[in-house]
Amino acid sequence: MPQEEPNAGVKIYNLIILIVDIVVMLVRWIYFTLEALYMVAVPPKPESVAKDIVLVTGAGHGIGRSLAQQYSQLGATVVCLDINDKMNQETISSIKKERGNAFGFVCDVTKREEIIETAKKVKEQVGVVTILVNNAGIMPTHTLLKQTEGEIRKTFEINVLAHFWMLQTYLPDMIEKNRGFIVALSSIAGLVGLNNLVPYCGSKHAVRGIMEACHEEIRQDPRKPNIKFTSVYPYMVDTGLCKRPHMRFPNLMRLVKPDEAAASIIDAQRRGLIDVSIPKYLLYLNTFVRLFPLKAANLLRDFLDSGVESDL
């Protein structure tokens, strides 16, 4: 039998409900927009990490080493993961010299089973990780047509797939504990496409998507777990990955020092910021420029003339 059309009273009621929903949404939209603008000017106060267990991947050098050292200085217990045991031990030794609390584990983040086994050891020997920093990454810098299959696969295994394995391994305990922070190192290359970095850009755009989607899953989880996500978009950092950087205005767009990058990352995590670029203005600049046509945006890109040369 054909369904009966709702009567006029039902139609009017549904229309009123729809109008009320739209008005409520607009009011909240304005409130949250003003709140966000206020928080740009007056950021939230940084939380203490003194009681946290922080796990940093790629802790043997560069940003990872600086992150481990600076978290330790703030009183956190630090778990250092790296595939290079010698360099990882150097990081741990530097922390212990300052009377910090650090543990080291050799782990290849491209191997899911190895990540799971390492996590069991971390939980038994150290405790439940409450701050996870997915920092490990590689960056081959040459044109796509000269990238080998091995380079491309390895870039995605380390820069992307490892994030899935780490999240699946450490998130459950955070949810059970009802406290957790996930920090992921994307890149300015995760916001814009860059010459000689096609696979790297693809991997860092993927990190952004992973973090946004995970944040949404947690937001819609009926348990409402207290898990926060921070995606970081650094400009070129002086860690050795950028073998041949070039920039037209080196004073304006100089290489970022690892210690500076680490300090900005930790500050963003402690304040609960969802997205942060290093320097901070680049995130806002990218958002503003994308309001204009691509050809107009390319004018600014060509004017700034910043990027990396091929390492071949």
Side-chain angles (χ1 to χ4, degrees):
M1 293 179 61
Q3 292 184 346
E4 294 183 6
E5 288 288 325
N7 60 40
V10 172
K11 288 182 177 179
I12 292 172
Y13 174 79
N14 288 338
L15 179 60
I16 292 172
I17 294 298
L18 177 61
I19 292 171
V20 170
D21 284 345
I22 291 172
V23 170
V24 169
M25 181 188 71
L26 290 175
V27 170
R28 296 182 72 192
W29 185 296
I30 293 168
Y31 170 80
F32 289 139
T33 301
L34 294 174
E35 179 187 54
L37 292 172
Y38 174 79
M39 289 175 66
V40 170
V42 185
K45 291 183 179 179
E47 292 186 15
S48 170
V49 294
K51 295 182 180 180
D52 283 291
I53 296 175
V54 183
L55 187 148
V56 181
T57 65
H61 70 288
I63 297 175
R65 175 172 289 180
S66 294
L67 283 166
Q69 291 168 336
Q70 292 185 31
Y71 267 118
S72 175
Q73 290 165 7
L74 292 168
T77 298
V78 181
V79 178
C80 301
L81 257 62
D82 204 287
I83 195 170
N84 187 314
D85 186 41
K86 180 177 180 295
M87 295 178 72
N88 206 35
Q89 290 302 322
E90 288 173 359
T91 300
I92 294 164
S93 295
S94 70
I95 291 171
K96 289 185 174 179
K97 282 181 182 178
E98 299 295 326
R99 299 186 179 180
N101 197 16
F103 298 80
F105 297 87
V106 175
C107 183
D108 182 347
V109 294
T110 67
K111 293 180 167 48
R112 186 173 185 271
E113 289 303 318
E114 196 167 318
I115 287 173
I116 293 170
E117 288 303 313
T118 302
K120 291 177 183 177
K121 295 177 185 177
V122 171
K123 190 172 181 178
E124 290 171 0
Q125 299 176 29
V126 188
V128 174
V129 171
T130 50
I131 301 176
L132 170 63
V133 185
N134 281 319
N135 161 74
I138 61 171
M139 190 177 73
T141 54
H142 32 274
T143 62
L144 175 62
L145 297 183
K146 292 183 179 179
Q147 295 267 353
T148 66
E149 178 185 353
E151 284 176 323
I152 294 171
R153 288 188 182 278
K154 191 172 182 181
T155 296
F156 275 80
E157 285 175 354
I158 296 175
N159 294 8
V160 181
L161 295 181
H163 287 255
F164 290 114
W165 315 146
M166 296 295 291
L167 287 165
Q168 287 182 334
T169 302
Y170 289 97
L171 254 180
D173 280 340
M174 292 183 181
I175 292 172
E176 184 177 344
K177 193 179 180 69
N178 198 35
R179 176 177 172 81
F181 300 82
I182 307 295
V183 181
L185 272 289
S186 180
S187 167
I188 292 301
L191 299 175
V192 299
L194 296 169
N195 189 36
N196 291 315
L197 291 173
V198 175
Y200 183 77
C201 286
S203 72
K204 292 304 184 178
H205 273 75
V207 170
R208 183 182 189 184
I210 291 166
M211 290 290 281
E212 287 188 1
C214 277
H215 181 273
E216 184 63 13
E217 280 197 359
I218 292 296
R219 189 180 73 86
Q220 295 195 30
D221 190 317
R223 294 169 294 180
K224 302 298 179 187
N226 182 28
I227 310 294
K228 297 180 181 179
F229 296 83
T230 299
S231 298
V232 186
Y233 306 94
Y235 179 62
M236 292 184 287
V237 182
D238 190 12
T239 60
L241 286 181
C242 296
K243 296 181 179 63
R244 297 185 62 191
H246 74 267
M247 54 210 72
R248 182 179 181 184
F249 304 105
N251 291 330
L252 177 66
M253 304 186 75
R254 63 179 177 81
L255 288 180
V256 179
K257 296 296 182 184
D259 286 348
E260 295 175 39
S264 296
I265 292 164
I266 294 171
D267 183 70
Q269 176 268 306
R270 293 178 65 202
R271 295 180 191 274
L273 304 184
I274 296 173
D275 293 295
V276 63
S277 64
I278 305 171
K280 288 183 179 180
Y281 73 85
L282 289 178
L283 190 63
Y284 303 116
L285 178 62
N286 176 68
T287 302
F288 175 74
V289 169
R290 287 189 178 274
L291 297 173
F292 297 90
L294 179 59
K295 288 182 179 179
N298 284 340
L299 292 174
L300 178 61
R301 181 179 298 196
D302 292 343
F303 173 75
L304 293 174
D305 189 24
S306 174
V308 294
E309 302 288 350
S310 172
D311 56 7
L312 295 180

